[in-house]
Amino acid sequence: MEAIRVGLLGIGTVGSGTWHVLNRNQSEIMGRAGREIKITMVADHHTERAKAVVGGQCEVVSDGNLVVTNPDIDIVVELIGGYDAAKDLVLKAIANGKHVVTANKALLAVHGDTIFRAAKDKGVIIAFEAAVAGGIPIIKALREGLTANRIEWIAGIINGTTNFILSEMREKGLDFDTTLKAAQTLGYAEADPTFDIEGIDAAHKATLMSAIAFGIPVQFDKIHVEGITRLDSLDIRYAEQLGYRIKLLGITRRMENGIELRVHPALIPAERLIANVEGAMNAVLVKSDAVGASLYYGKGAGAEPTASAVIADLVDIARLEAVDPEHRVPYLAFQPDAMRDTPILPISEVTTSYYLRLKVKDQPGVLADITRLLADHSISIDAFLQKEPREGETLVDIIILTHQTQEKNINAAIAQIEKLRTVAGSVTRIRLEELE
Ligand code: HSE
């Protein structure tokens, strides 16, 4: 069988990893794919850097258009990232009948519907294992491995940068800004870390997993996103004293009236396996009816872990290319006519538990007032902790863990609690997920 010919758009970290792993493991990969997978063309603005990687073994150009319009290319691998140029080239590749492999979660989360529709009309494959959790084959697991299951919820640590920062804050007791700077020095955080620390990168990934799990369109505009920038290391410490760890979670959950889709810091019980995922590692916990809980763990970024996902997609395409498009694995797991427009619930209707930290005067009746306001909003208390006043202060910190309630209830209760004369400043509120 003839080799399947691949054109790479971008040969930075992941592109170089793809080149090296494909060359190193070519005979095993060929044994699995049934034919050779050959990168025959690379486009990168840094042509000298690209030439240094491929060492004269394939054509190097600076203009990606030359790859996506080349009749001798079967698969285009998009590793440019971002929205505009990548979208343009991906749509051109599709229009030219090429299958596309992409690691670009931002592009698919925001423009996925346009891209998947164009690909369907043209009968080509869009594969994106590398877009979610790098080397962990979570797309394969959700789309194929768990295909017998009704998925109930997914909770993932799907951003290594923020997990690294949270692990460091917990272990060293440092604040967010200091830890971010250290992470940047060590190369764990980008010079511009906005997408990671504000939760946007995790939100792109959660959006894609939600679509696959529940057969809904990708809807990045509906996800609720909070990053870790406002987290106080004090809360990480108090959470630990109560038996919890704080993680940035991407969560999507099937509810009776819609689907929850959210990214935010959350307390999780320290005894859960996922709570012990530390440093830059990723993990995705899936709750489905037949399997129960299943956990997927590994490296969510980096040259070779991400290359592993890119090449897995190349192998899939090499195997499935000849299959009638109607009989291939659907892009988002469900056949187009089985997709549903189930609403994404607004954050006010999300149901979860809460960690509250309040600074209060240490005098009779304070707790009674607070617990009455919680009870007025049908919020039940699960645990309570009162700390000694901090040095030089007369006010005390109290921490309350609640049972599950809707977000609008806790917000209404907090608004009233903050008006009490015995409560100083605003109440810190962090969501708590038992992940049972
Ligand atoms: N920046 C991401 C992370 C990896 O920190 O996990 C690419 O999505």
Side-chain angles (χ1 to χ4, degrees):
M1 212 176 194
E2 280 183 13
I4 195 157
R5 298 157 304 179
V6 177
L8 278 194
L9 301 176
I11 192 158
T13 306
V14 178
S16 312
T18 303
W19 175 269
H20 293 307
V21 175
L22 203 47
N23 280 296
R24 190 171 74 229
N25 297 342
Q26 183 63 252
S27 74
E28 276 197 56
I29 292 168
M30 196 170 157
R32 293 178 177 133
R35 59 202 285 202
E36 188 185 356
I37 295 172
K38 202 170 167 52
I39 297 173
T40 54
M41 196 174 190
V42 170
D44 197 302
H45 290 318
H46 304 281
T47 46
E48 289 313 311
R49 186 186 68 181
K51 282 179 186 160
V53 176
V54 304
Q57 290 180 60
C58 90
E59 189 180 352
V60 173
V61 295
S62 70
D63 181 2
N65 285 290
L66 298 174
V67 172
V68 300
T69 56
N70 183 343
D72 295 326
I73 294 289
D74 304 303
I75 309 175
V76 169
V77 178
E78 185 271 306
L79 300 172
I80 306 169
Y83 301 99
D84 302 335
K87 182 182 174 202
D88 184 49
L89 287 168
V90 164
L91 288 174
K92 268 192 196 146
I94 294 168
N96 281 282
K98 321 275 180 227
H99 303 292
V100 173
V101 173
T102 178
N104 193 336
K105 61 230 79 171
L107 178 67
L108 291 182
V110 176
H111 299 293
D113 283 347
T114 310
I115 291 168
F116 292 130
R117 199 172 321 114
K120 180 174 183 300
D121 292 347
K122 204 69 191 173
V124 296
I125 299 170
I126 303 286
F128 53 96
E129 185 64 70
V132 182
I136 306 174
I138 189 63
I139 300 295
K140 192 85 167 173
L142 290 172
R143 201 164 54 178
E144 300 175 50
L146 295 173
T147 202
N149 290 254
R150 183 175 161 85
I151 293 175
E152 292 167 17
W153 53 260
I154 300 173
I157 295 172
I158 44 181
N159 183 270
T161 305
T162 45
N163 203 50
F164 176 82
I165 292 172
L166 292 177
S167 296
E168 291 284 295
M169 284 174 76
R170 185 180 68 80
E171 277 167 26
K172 301 191 173 148
L174 298 172
D175 65 21
F176 172 77
D177 290 330
T178 311
T179 314
L180 171 61
K181 282 198 193 88
Q184 284 172 315
T185 308
L186 291 168
Y188 281 103
E190 308 265 352
D192 178 359
T194 313
F195 263 40
D196 293 317
I197 62 177
E198 295 294 357
I200 301 162
D201 174 77
H204 289 143
K205 297 166 185 167
T207 301
L208 291 172
M209 290 197 291
S210 180
I212 292 173
F214 302 124
I216 55 171
V218 283
Q219 299 169 78
F220 183 68
D221 55 333
K222 305 262 175 65
I223 188 167
H224 176 84
V225 191
E226 287 170 33
I228 62 166
T229 53
R230 287 184 301 278
L231 261 188
D232 193 325
S233 50
L234 183 67
D235 294 310
I236 296 179
R237 203 163 68 237
Y238 286 165
E240 193 159 35
Q241 289 169 12
L242 288 157
Y244 292 84
R245 299 250 165 110
I246 298 184
K247 296 289 181 186
L248 182 72
L249 289 185
I251 300 177
T252 186
R253 190 190 310 263
R254 189 198 295 270
M255 301 296 280
E256 250 171 42
N257 52 343
I259 287 169
E260 292 184 359
L261 179 56
R262 47 198 169 100
V263 167
H264 52 72
L267 276 77
I268 47 182
E271 71 264 23
R272 301 272 179 274
L273 273 179
I274 193 169
N276 294 281
V277 171
E278 299 291 2
M281 299 304 278
N282 280 200
V284 182
L285 179 58
V286 182
K287 178 77 192 315
S288 59
D289 66 343
V291 174
S294 51
L295 181 66
Y296 307 83
Y297 170 82
K299 288 186 179 159
E304 296 209 353
T306 314
S308 162
V310 167
I311 296 168
D313 281 345
L314 292 174
V315 171
D316 265 357
I317 295 174
R319 288 169 176 155
L320 294 173
E321 197 202 20
V323 173
D324 166 6
E326 302 288 311
H327 295 104
R328 294 180 188 143
V329 180
Y331 309 122
L332 294 175
F334 287 76
Q335 301 294 343
D337 60 2
M339 299 278 287
R340 296 281 172 265
D341 215 5
T342 319
I344 305 289
L345 296 171
I347 191 69
S348 57
E349 285 180 34
V350 157
T351 303
T352 187
S353 308
Y354 293 87
Y355 160 104
L356 307 177
R357 172 167 58 84
L358 307 85
K359 205 178 259 304
V360 301
K361 288 187 185 157
D362 196 2
Q363 65 184 49
V366 173
L367 268 184
D369 289 344
I370 294 167
T371 51
R372 180 180 43 76
L373 286 173
L374 290 172
D376 286 351
H377 292 87
S378 309
I379 298 164
S380 167
I381 294 172
D382 178 42
F384 172 84
L385 183 66
Q386 176 165 341
K387 306 301 292 182
E388 292 299 313
R390 279 184 259 162
E391 209 173 304
E393 292 187 15
T394 50
L395 300 171
V396 294
D397 281 340
I398 61 168
I399 294 98
I400 297 170
L401 303 186
T402 75
H403 283 296
Q404 286 200 338
T405 183
Q406 273 201 330
E407 183 126 339
K408 58 185 171 209
N409 296 339
I410 199 86
N411 287 348
I414 289 173
Q416 294 196 350
I417 290 170
E418 285 176 345
K419 285 188 193 141
L420 293 172
R421 276 187 296 122
T422 46
V423 173
S426 51
V427 174
T428 298
R429 185 209 64 182
I430 307 174
R431 299 178 188 89
L432 185 158
E433 298 289 333
E434 289 292 343
L435 302 181
E436 280 169 313

